[in-house]
Amino acid sequence: MAIHTTLTLAIIALVSSFANAYDPSPLQDFCVAANDPKATIFVNGRACKDPKLVTADDFFTSGLNTSKLPAFTGSTYSAASINEIPGLNTLGLTLIRNDFAPNSVTPPHIHPRATELVLILEGTVYFGFVTADPSDRTKNRVYAKTYSAGDVFVTPQGLIHFGANIGAGKVSTIAVFNSQDPGFNFIPDQLFGSNPPILDDVLSKAFRVDKKVIDQIRAEFS
Ligand code: MN
């Protein structure tokens, strides 16, 4: 192989790594996300702000002693993500606070790009994930428990998981994700509230129910 071809391939390999959507290992102490309206690269990472313009505020957010943003019925959240802390760019972390009213649930969902570690600050919660049984991959197994204040549990990357406030009071949790962009894919919304909708026939056969049942569920998500 001619030496210039090898060089060209090496350069292509290097340049290609910038389009890698997995959290990269940083090559610098920090790469504070620049607010660049002309940016046209839409991958996980963002362009770096000029280091000379970086201040302590780029590594800071506040207000997570409570949460106000609506999540699902009976629950709210607040976040410390790359959107609130531009300095998190390339560092591979996100933190979310959640508060759940009694009887509220976290619908089954996955984080395609992150493992989730949850600390219970307050309350009693049933929480678990489901995956193929390692001893028989044709079967599925739930790993779930009831947790209370001080408990910490982990959900492996990419697995369906869910939760429910089963106590008399509110539940407060702090969740940490090992990605700056974990992804929040809620299964019911994705299956029944997508645009365009998934064909009734597909959902009807998948769930082994009449199409009327699918329409009834779908009506709740439109
Ligand atoms: Mn989760």
Side-chain angles (χ1 to χ4, degrees), residues 107-204:
H109 64 282
I110 66 168
H111 308 291
R113 292 175 292 279
T115 291
E116 176 177 7
L117 191 62
V118 173
L119 161 66
I120 311 294
L121 299 174
E122 179 183 349
T124 308
V125 62
Y126 167 78
F127 206 100
F129 64 86
V130 59
T131 191
D133 189 325
S135 62
D136 180 354
R137 294 187 182 278
T138 65
K139 296 194 166 74
N140 294 291
R141 187 162 166 187
V142 166
Y143 301 83
K145 269 169 70 73
T146 298
Y147 300 100
S148 55
D151 292 347
V152 177
F153 57 86
V154 64
T155 298
Q157 179 171 347
L159 301 186
I160 293 178
H161 57 290
F162 46 82
N165 181 353
I166 56 170
K170 81 169 207 177
V171 163
S172 297
T173 64
I174 298 286
V176 179
F177 304 85
N178 65 336
S179 168
Q180 72 179 42
D181 188 13
F184 294 86
N185 296 4
F186 284 86
I187 311 299
D189 302 74
Q190 292 205 318
L191 292 181
F192 297 100
S194 66
N195 181 24
I198 298 172
L199 289 179
D200 273 12
D201 197 42
V202 173
L203 294 176
S204 161

